[in-house]
Amino acid sequence: MATVEQSGGAHDAGVEDGVRRRDFINIAAVTAAGVGGAALLYPLVNQMNPSADVLALASIEVDISAIKAGQAIKTIFRKQPLFIRHLTPAEIQAANAVDVGSLRDPQSLAERTKPGKAMWLVTMGVCTHLGCVPLGAGEGENRGPFGGYFCPCHGSAYDTAARIRKGPAPKNLEVPDYAFKSDTVITVGEVA
Amino acid sequence: MSFPWAEAYEPKHPLMRWIDQRLPLPRLVYGAVGGGYPVPRNLNYFWNFGVLAGLALTIQIVTGIVLAMHYASTGDHAFQSVEHIMRDVNQGWFLRYAHANGASFFFIVTYLHIFRGLYYGSYKAPREIVWMLGLVILLLMMATAFMGYVLPWGQMSFWGAKVITGLFGAIPLVGEPIQQWLLGGYAPDQATLNRFFSLHYLLPFVIAGVIILHIWALHIPGSSNPTGVEVKTPQDTVPFHPFYTAKDGFGAGVFLILFALVTFFAPNYLGHADNYIPANPLSTPAHIVPEWYFWPFYAILRAFTVDFILPAKLWGVLAMFSAILIHFFLPWLDPSPVRSGNYRPMFRRFFWLLVVDVLVLGFCGGRPAEEPYVMISQIATMYYFAHFLIVLPILSKVERTLPLPSSISASVLHGEEREAAPADLGGALGRAPATGAH
């Protein structure tokens, strides 16, 4: 743009409105090139986003009919572990007995489950501290001092609503978007 | 850089001065492509193609780097990963089509750049090393393009790799071990694909390095020009910026329009349908042809059909490589002191004959190896070599050249339209011959 100042002062024909033809052409050309270049950045950046085949796995359906009360299963959602747990009445009671206000990440069990389906606790199996997979979903695994999940990496303990109770993790285990497709099948992910 | 009157870099902004005193990169850029590089004022549009080749290389490197983020160079997955790019990756179709057609456009502008040099005698002293570095770039481009074409691992990829590496098998005694060494096996396979990917990623950066040498060597004597008369005074030159940045910018716009037209409306026009069939070592396509930019050389390769002392295959290979290597000797094969074809009436005719000859070779190279194409290839191959080995040396001795203008500015100020008309097309349009004898 250094040429704007230098360009021919002799050609003052179009000066009435204060804009010389050369300035206009210069700015228009550089602007067009700039906008074109910026537009090209879009595909170059966007190609790194998840591709269509990855997004095609963005939602899964899980049949939960076989999970008995007190049991949990581990499955894979978006290449990460997903815990689906069938809470016993005692576990629900234990979760509801906690004063929500006293929690690090205050949430009630009702907020973390679907209405009328408080026995189904669906969470990601990813510790909110540094991303390890907590124990407690598998048969005979250590469920930690609060009876929910226990992360062996740095000792984060989650309760029966998968809320953080002790240890370094800052948040409760994440509850993904999901919906009951029927009484025995849930859709996890994009539930339109 | 090149002339005493080249403007020295004067940083305007304190920050630029601060940087320039510590790392004189702004100075380097200013002297190379800024106001500090004086360029002959009479360059026509044929002088755009060097910058356009640089633009094409940039497009190839940028699209290539992002394609490599999605490509898998294993025999089992290469073809699938290319289809994955085309169908699943966001805008992957655009990136791959831009890369595939970008290669073709790189060759189009490079060939025009080379023919510009041939017509205007850009290879003559003192620019021989500029010319030879350019040939090194061409050879590197060919190797890169060939290996890139193998990566999608379609039928043409596989059989192209087999045929081209087979050329090395023609070398007596050591041919077969060399071929196996190149392939890492007895036929193109996993090892071949992986090493080709590695080298295909490496060589463009080597090309970029040689381009820097090419430009460095060019900037010692400065750019040539349509008259072939060297720059004498400051009146003969204008600063690269803004004059040639603007002219090259316009050329880049035209180039990008044509590139976009092909990429978006005919992305497979320059390719082969066979390459959308996964590589199959047990089935050869009926008609194997390389990409169009190799056709003239492919025609020369196939023009040799008779064993004469050496096997015909070896003659073909030697001739094909010689077709490029002969250009390294061009500055000495054509010692005529007049550079520009504008002042060499006989040279000009033979130049256009060579252009037609190369086009004929290209046409034959894309046809099946059968008559009459083989016969035509043989005649065209003969002329190709005769042009450089017989015609040019004789011409430089017997030709009566036209009088040269006394200087670039004299030729411009005396209104010689033909100087401004690319490749003397102004003269061909029947204007009165302005010979510069003022």
Side-chain angles (χ1 to χ4, degrees), chain A residues 74 83 133-138 141-144 148-152:
Chain A
K74 270 189 247 186
F83 294 163
V133 180
L135 301 172
E141 285 181 358
N142 179 7
R143 291 187 164 182
Y149 299 106
F150 177 73
C151 183

Side-chain angles (χ1 to χ4, degrees), chain A residues 118-133:
Chain A
M119 67 291 243
W120 292 109
L121 179 67
V122 180
T123 62
M124 298 306 298
V126 180
C127 180
T128 56
H129 180 220
L130 292 173
C132 296
V133 180

Side-chain angles (χ1 to χ4, degrees), chain B residues 211 273 278 285 320 335 376:
Chain B
I211 285 174
M320 187 181 72
I376 298 172

Side-chain angles (χ1 to χ4, degrees), chain A residues 3 46-47 49-53, chain B residues 62 66 69-70 84 88 90-91 242:
Chain A
T3 54
N46 192 36
Q47 53 87 20
N49 277 320
S51 56
D53 59 326
Chain B
V62 170
V66 296
M69 294 181 188
H70 304 281
H84 164 72
D88 292 338
N90 301 311
Q91 286 89 43

Side-chain angles (χ1 to χ4, degrees), chain A residues 50-96:
Chain A
S51 56
D53 59 326
V54 172
L55 292 178
L57 301 174
S59 65
I60 56 167
E61 286 185 2
V62 187
D63 184 348
I64 55 172
S65 58
I67 310 171
K68 305 254 177 347
Q71 286 187 329
I73 61 162
K74 270 189 247 186
T75 182
I76 304 280
F77 171 59
R78 293 181 182 169
K79 307 255 168 176
Q80 298 186 95
L82 178 77
F83 294 163
I84 300 174
R85 184 154 170 174
H86 191 168
L87 299 174
T88 61
E91 286 171 330
I92 295 173
Q93 207 175 9
N96 286 333

Side-chain angles (χ1 to χ4, degrees), chain B residues 298-354:
Chain B
Y298 199 53
I300 292 174
L301 172 76
R302 296 189 305 183
F304 291 81
T305 51
V306 182
D307 293 349
F308 173 70
I309 304 173
L310 299 171
K313 185 181 171 189
L314 183 55
W315 279 114
V317 173
L318 290 174
M320 187 181 72
F321 285 110
S322 303
I324 294 175
L325 298 181
I326 198 169
H327 288 265
F328 280 96
F329 302 94
L330 190 53
W332 298 277
L333 289 170
D334 173 22
S336 168
V338 176
R339 289 198 186 89
S340 170
N342 280 1
Y343 302 92
R344 301 183 63 189
M346 286 172 75
F347 168 87
R348 197 154 67 218
R349 290 197 189 99
F350 283 106
F351 169 83
W352 286 113
L353 189 55
L354 179 72

Side-chain angles (χ1 to χ4, degrees), chain A residues 124-191:
Chain A
M124 298 306 298
V126 180
C127 180
T128 56
H129 180 220
L130 292 173
C132 296
V133 180
L135 301 172
E139 194 77 43
E141 285 181 358
N142 179 7
R143 291 187 164 182
F146 297 91
Y149 299 106
F150 177 73
C151 183
C153 290
H154 304 94
S156 291
Y158 298 88
D159 66 12
T160 53
R163 296 174 297 199
I164 181 62
R165 296 293 290 275
K166 192 171 156 236
K171 294 274 182 192
N172 303 332
L173 289 187
E174 184 196 342
V175 177
D177 284 343
Y178 72 97
F180 280 86
K181 201 177 175 196
S182 68
D183 276 348
T184 56
V185 176
I186 62 169
T187 307
V188 187
E190 282 160 17
V191 280

